[in-house]
Amino acid sequence: DQQVKQNSPSLSVQEGRISILNCDYTNSMFDYFLWYKKYPAEGPTFLISISSIKDKNEDGRFTVFLNKSAKHLSLHIVPSQPGDSAVYFCAAKNSGYALNFGKGTSLLVTP
Amino acid sequence: DTAVSQTPKYLVTQMGNDKSIKCEQNLGHDTMYWYKQDSKKFLKIMFSYNNKELIINETVPNRFSPKSPDKAHLNLHINSLELGDSAVYFCASSHRLAGPETQYFGPGTRLLVL
């Protein structure tokens, strides 16, 4: 039973534009949400997170938005750079439990 | 220095064999994990250890046996390997399991069972 869903397997964006990656979840008990970035042949690396008590968290070019009523979160990357090309995983957890990951969205930023 | 390291990086073996994957973290974390990424790219938790004690054990065949000799190490032993065990196995660690703890991942071990 997949509790975290990333319905777009891939996304292509031009350099300098905004990348928007989406994620939906089904478990209302999740209280912490994270985005991980993964390059080929490497492990996922932590990018940004948000607590369920917030609706926005910003870190440089990366902003995560959380809409609890819709059980939806998104990651905005502005401006997108070619080095941002990677697979982005959305993850969620309920305190005391392990992370639940989405299937990932492959982002390609073209020059 | 690599924060979370795994060995080997690649493992090719025959069905029925027994193999082990090792994981070490030098972050001083109390909690370690094993995840499996299958051919459909799903990353799923297998086990979690906190201070050498098993905390999470998802629905994993008992051919898989984790062992934590100390807080910095979590090894994964797999008996009687099957074709369906082919996947990428990631080790991770965090300060603790509860709360908003970021997990740090190793580079993965690519297992191919022939």
Side-chain angles (χ1 to χ4, degrees), chain B residues 5-114:
Chain B
S5 59
Q6 295 178 230
T7 53
K9 195 164 185 179
Y10 299 96
L11 184 53
V12 181
T13 188
Q14 300 284 337
M15 264 174 50
N17 284 350
D18 303 338
K19 290 293 178 186
S20 291
I21 308 172
K22 295 186 176 182
C23 178
E24 176 181 1
Q25 54 95 4
N26 61 8
L27 297 167
H29 288 164
D30 287 341
T31 307
M32 296 185 72
Y33 312 81
W34 276 110
Y35 285 86
K36 177 181 179 180
Q37 186 179 34
D38 60 22
S39 57
K40 295 181 180 178
K41 305 301 181 187
F42 284 112
L43 251 175
K44 288 186 180 176
I45 183 71
M46 298 174 68
F47 302 101
S48 173
Y49 269 72
N50 187 62
N51 282 323
K52 301 195 301 175
E53 286 190 30
L54 181 64
I55 302 298
I56 294 173
N57 184 355
E58 291 296 314
T59 311
V60 177
N62 56 16
R63 298 183 294 104
F64 290 78
S65 52
K67 283 188 172 52
S68 183
D70 55 58
K71 280 188 352 179
H73 296 85
L74 180 62
N75 303 324
L76 183 65
H77 189 76
I78 315 171
N79 288 329
S80 304
L81 277 156
E82 300 177 357
L83 294 176
D85 297 333
S86 296
V88 183
Y89 293 84
F90 288 100
C91 176
S93 73
S94 65
H95 277 296
R96 53 195 174 126
L97 181 60
E101 294 294 336
T102 300
Q103 293 181 20
Y104 296 84
F105 284 78
T109 295
R110 284 139 194 86
L111 171 64
L112 177 60
V113 182
L114 302 174

Side-chain angles (χ1 to χ4, degrees), chain A residues 76-102:
Chain A
H76 292 211
I77 307 174
V78 181
S80 301
Q81 299 173 353
D84 296 331
S85 297
V87 177
Y88 289 79
F89 288 96
C90 173
K93 77 187 297 269
N94 183 8
S95 184
Y97 292 87
L99 288 172
N100 286 270
F101 281 89

